[in-house]
Amino acid sequence: MYCPYCRNPDSRVVDSRLADDGSAIRRRRQCPHCGRRFSTVETTSLSVVKRSGASEPFSRSKIINGVRKACQGRPVTEDDLALLAQEVEENIRASGVAEIDAHEVGLAILEPLRRLDQIAYLRFASVYRGFESLEDFEEAIDALRRQNEDAGRVPTGAQRPLTAR
Ligand SMILES: [Zn+2]
Protein backbone atom coordinates (compact mmCIF):
# COMPACT_ATOMS: atom_id res chain seq x y z
CA MET A 1 0.00 0.00 0.00
CA TYR A 2 1.26 3.46 -0.95
CA CYS A 3 2.11 5.95 1.76
CA PRO A 4 -0.71 8.55 1.57
CA TYR A 5 1.79 11.36 2.20
CA CYS A 6 4.70 10.64 -0.14
CA ARG A 7 3.40 7.76 -2.28
CA ASN A 8 6.29 5.52 -1.24
CA PRO A 9 5.13 2.01 -2.22
CA ASP A 10 6.17 0.42 1.07
CA SER A 11 5.19 0.74 4.72
CA ARG A 12 5.95 -1.02 7.98
CA VAL A 13 3.28 -2.23 10.44
CA VAL A 14 4.01 -0.81 13.90
CA ASP A 15 0.83 -1.94 15.68
CA SER A 16 -2.20 -4.19 15.00
CA ARG A 17 -5.34 -4.43 17.02
CA LEU A 18 -8.83 -5.85 16.71
CA ALA A 19 -11.58 -3.33 16.11
CA ASP A 20 -15.38 -3.44 15.87
CA ASP A 21 -15.72 -6.46 18.18
CA GLY A 22 -13.22 -8.50 16.22
CA SER A 23 -14.71 -8.06 12.75
CA ALA A 24 -11.86 -5.78 11.70
CA ILE A 25 -8.15 -5.33 12.26
CA ARG A 26 -6.73 -1.83 12.51
CA ARG A 27 -3.05 -1.52 11.65
CA ARG A 28 -0.85 1.43 12.44
CA ARG A 29 1.79 1.79 9.72
CA GLN A 30 4.90 3.87 9.32
CA CYS A 31 6.43 4.93 6.03
CA PRO A 32 10.19 4.18 5.96
CA HIS A 33 10.70 6.98 3.43
CA CYS A 34 9.03 10.01 5.07
CA GLY A 35 8.56 8.55 8.56
CA ARG A 36 4.90 9.54 8.82
CA ARG A 37 2.28 7.23 10.28
CA PHE A 38 -1.14 6.23 8.99
CA SER A 39 -3.77 3.58 9.74
CA THR A 40 -5.38 0.90 7.64
CA VAL A 41 -8.43 -1.17 8.49
CA GLU A 42 -8.74 -4.72 7.29
CA THR A 43 -12.10 -6.50 7.13
CA THR A 44 -13.35 -9.47 5.16
CA SER A 45 -14.95 -8.09 2.04
CA LEU A 46 -18.72 -8.15 2.16
CA SER A 47 -20.65 -7.52 -1.05
CA VAL A 48 -24.26 -6.65 -1.51
CA VAL A 49 -25.87 -8.01 -4.66
CA LYS A 50 -28.50 -5.71 -6.06
CA ARG A 51 -31.58 -6.81 -7.95
CA SER A 52 -29.85 -5.87 -11.21
CA GLY A 53 -27.16 -8.46 -10.41
CA ALA A 54 -24.52 -5.79 -9.86
CA SER A 55 -22.69 -6.00 -6.56
CA GLU A 56 -21.24 -3.27 -4.40
CA PRO A 57 -19.35 -3.19 -1.09
CA PHE A 58 -21.54 -3.32 2.02
CA SER A 59 -21.96 0.19 3.39
CA ARG A 60 -23.25 1.24 6.79
CA SER A 61 -24.15 4.65 5.46
CA LYS A 62 -26.50 3.04 2.94
CA ILE A 63 -28.21 1.19 5.80
CA ILE A 64 -28.56 4.46 7.69
CA ASN A 65 -29.95 6.28 4.67
CA GLY A 66 -32.42 3.47 4.05
CA VAL A 67 -33.68 3.50 7.62
CA ARG A 68 -33.67 7.26 8.13
CA LYS A 69 -36.74 7.76 5.97
CA ALA A 70 -38.74 5.25 8.03
CA CYS A 71 -37.62 7.11 11.18
CA GLN A 72 -38.83 10.54 10.09
CA GLY A 73 -40.61 12.30 12.94
CA ARG A 74 -39.63 9.54 15.39
CA PRO A 75 -37.43 9.99 18.48
CA VAL A 76 -34.46 8.27 16.83
CA THR A 77 -31.04 9.91 16.95
CA GLU A 78 -28.09 9.69 14.57
CA ASP A 79 -26.29 7.65 17.24
CA ASP A 80 -29.20 5.19 17.29
CA LEU A 81 -28.96 4.84 13.51
CA ALA A 82 -25.17 4.34 13.65
CA LEU A 83 -25.56 1.62 16.29
CA LEU A 84 -28.29 -0.05 14.28
CA ALA A 85 -26.14 -0.10 11.15
CA GLN A 86 -23.25 -1.52 13.18
CA GLU A 87 -25.47 -4.26 14.58
CA VAL A 88 -26.79 -5.14 11.12
CA GLU A 89 -23.26 -5.40 9.77
CA GLU A 90 -22.07 -7.49 12.72
CA ASN A 91 -25.03 -9.86 12.37
CA ILE A 92 -24.42 -10.32 8.65
CA ARG A 93 -20.67 -10.84 9.16
CA ALA A 94 -21.34 -13.28 12.00
CA SER A 95 -23.38 -15.41 9.60
CA GLY A 96 -20.13 -15.93 7.68
CA VAL A 97 -21.34 -14.95 4.23
CA ALA A 98 -19.15 -12.98 1.83
CA GLU A 99 -22.06 -11.92 -0.33
CA ILE A 100 -25.65 -11.05 0.49
CA ASP A 101 -28.72 -9.99 -1.48
CA ALA A 102 -29.82 -6.40 -1.01
CA HIS A 103 -33.24 -7.73 -0.06
CA GLU A 104 -31.75 -9.84 2.74
CA VAL A 105 -29.92 -6.78 4.04
CA GLY A 106 -33.34 -5.15 4.32
CA LEU A 107 -34.65 -8.14 6.24
CA ALA A 108 -31.60 -8.08 8.56
CA ILE A 109 -32.55 -4.51 9.49
CA LEU A 110 -36.03 -5.48 10.69
CA GLU A 111 -35.21 -7.03 14.06
CA PRO A 112 -32.86 -4.31 15.37
CA LEU A 113 -35.25 -1.65 14.04
CA ARG A 114 -38.18 -3.27 15.86
CA ARG A 115 -36.29 -2.90 19.12
CA LEU A 116 -35.37 0.70 18.30
CA ASP A 117 -38.76 2.11 17.23
CA GLN A 118 -41.93 0.18 16.48
CA ILE A 119 -43.51 2.76 14.21
CA ALA A 120 -40.36 3.03 12.09
CA TYR A 121 -40.28 -0.76 12.06
CA LEU A 122 -43.83 -0.99 10.70
CA ARG A 123 -43.06 1.56 7.99
CA PHE A 124 -39.89 -0.27 7.00
CA ALA A 125 -41.44 -3.74 7.21
CA SER A 126 -44.34 -2.70 5.00
CA VAL A 127 -41.81 -2.12 2.23
CA TYR A 128 -39.35 -4.96 2.85
CA ARG A 129 -41.84 -7.66 3.66
CA GLY A 130 -44.14 -6.44 0.92
CA PHE A 131 -47.27 -5.66 2.94
CA GLU A 132 -50.17 -5.61 0.51
CA SER A 133 -53.21 -5.25 2.69
CA LEU A 134 -54.49 -3.97 6.02
CA GLU A 135 -54.41 -7.58 7.20
CA ASP A 136 -50.63 -7.61 6.73
CA PHE A 137 -50.38 -4.57 9.01
CA GLU A 138 -52.78 -6.09 11.52
CA GLU A 139 -50.72 -9.25 11.66
CA ALA A 140 -47.49 -7.30 12.19
CA ILE A 141 -49.12 -5.14 14.87
CA ASP A 142 -50.48 -8.23 16.64
CA ALA A 143 -46.98 -9.72 16.63
CA LEU A 144 -45.60 -6.48 18.08
CA ARG A 145 -48.27 -6.52 20.82
CA ARG A 146 -47.36 -10.07 21.75
CA GLN A 147 -43.66 -9.16 21.85
CA ASN A 148 -44.45 -6.08 23.95
CA GLU A 149 -46.34 -8.24 26.43
CA ASP A 150 -43.39 -10.62 26.61
CA ALA A 151 -41.02 -7.66 27.08
CA GLY A 152 -43.29 -6.41 29.89
CA ARG A 153 -42.30 -9.46 31.89
CA VAL A 154 -38.61 -8.66 31.53
CA PRO A 155 -37.07 -6.41 34.20
CA THR A 156 -36.68 -2.76 33.16
CA GLY A 157 -33.42 -2.04 31.45
CA ALA A 158 -33.25 -5.35 29.64
CA GLN A 159 -35.71 -4.28 27.00
CA ARG A 160 -33.50 -2.17 24.75
CA PRO A 161 -30.33 -4.10 24.01
CA LEU A 162 -29.35 -1.48 21.39
CA THR A 163 -28.88 1.28 23.94
CA ALA A 164 -27.65 -1.03 26.67
CA ARG A 165 -24.28 -1.51 25.00
ZN1 LIG B 1 5.81 8.40 3.16
Side-chain angles (χ1 to χ4, degrees):
M1 177 170 299
Y2 288 104
C3 167
Y5 301 105
C6 74
R7 310 297 295 167
N8 184 56
D10 188 29
S11 64
R12 191 167 64 85
V13 174
V14 291
D15 184 42
S16 294
R17 61 185 59 187
L18 288 178
D20 283 344
D21 292 340
S23 64
I25 291 178
R26 186 179 302 277
R27 294 189 204 282
R28 197 83 184 121
R29 294 172 179 270
Q30 184 166 31
C31 171
H33 182 71
C34 71
R36 297 182 78 170
R37 292 186 171 201
F38 56 97
S39 294
T40 55
V41 176
E42 183 181 318
T43 59
T44 55
S45 75
L46 179 59
S47 313
V48 176
V49 183
K50 296 190 285 187
R51 205 180 303 178
S52 64
S55 70
E56 60 184 20
F58 178 90
S59 143
R60 284 190 197 180
S61 58
K62 288 218 163 137
I63 301 275
I64 291 171
N65 289 336
V67 173
R68 187 179 279 128
K69 205 191 273 180
C71 293
Q72 258 171 22
R74 302 298 305 162
V76 173
T77 66
E78 286 298 310
D79 281 354
D80 290 334
L81 292 176
L83 276 175
L84 180 137
Q86 182 183 334
E87 186 178 357
V88 169
E89 177 172 1
E90 283 169 2
N91 288 344
I92 292 172
R93 286 188 182 281
S95 71
V97 296
E99 212 175 60
I100 184 168
D101 281 350
H103 184 70
E104 285 176 53
V105 175
L107 296 179
I109 291 170
L110 287 173
E111 179 58 23
L113 184 57
R114 182 181 65 76
R115 279 184 266 118
L116 181 61
D117 188 279
Q118 297 187 337
I119 298 298
Y121 163 82
L122 280 175
R123 289 174 179 160
F124 195 84
S126 70
V127 175
Y128 270 87
R129 286 172 53 203
F131 288 5
E132 285 172 349
S133 64
L134 289 178
E135 285 72 28
D136 289 335
F137 277 95
E138 276 171 357
E139 212 170 278
I141 291 168
D142 283 346
L144 281 176
R145 285 215 177 96
R146 283 194 299 274
Q147 281 156 345
N148 287 349
E149 281 162 18
D150 287 347
R153 287 194 279 273
V154 175
T156 317
Q159 294 174 29
R160 305 229 8 218
L162 260 186
T163 51
R165 298 205 287 178

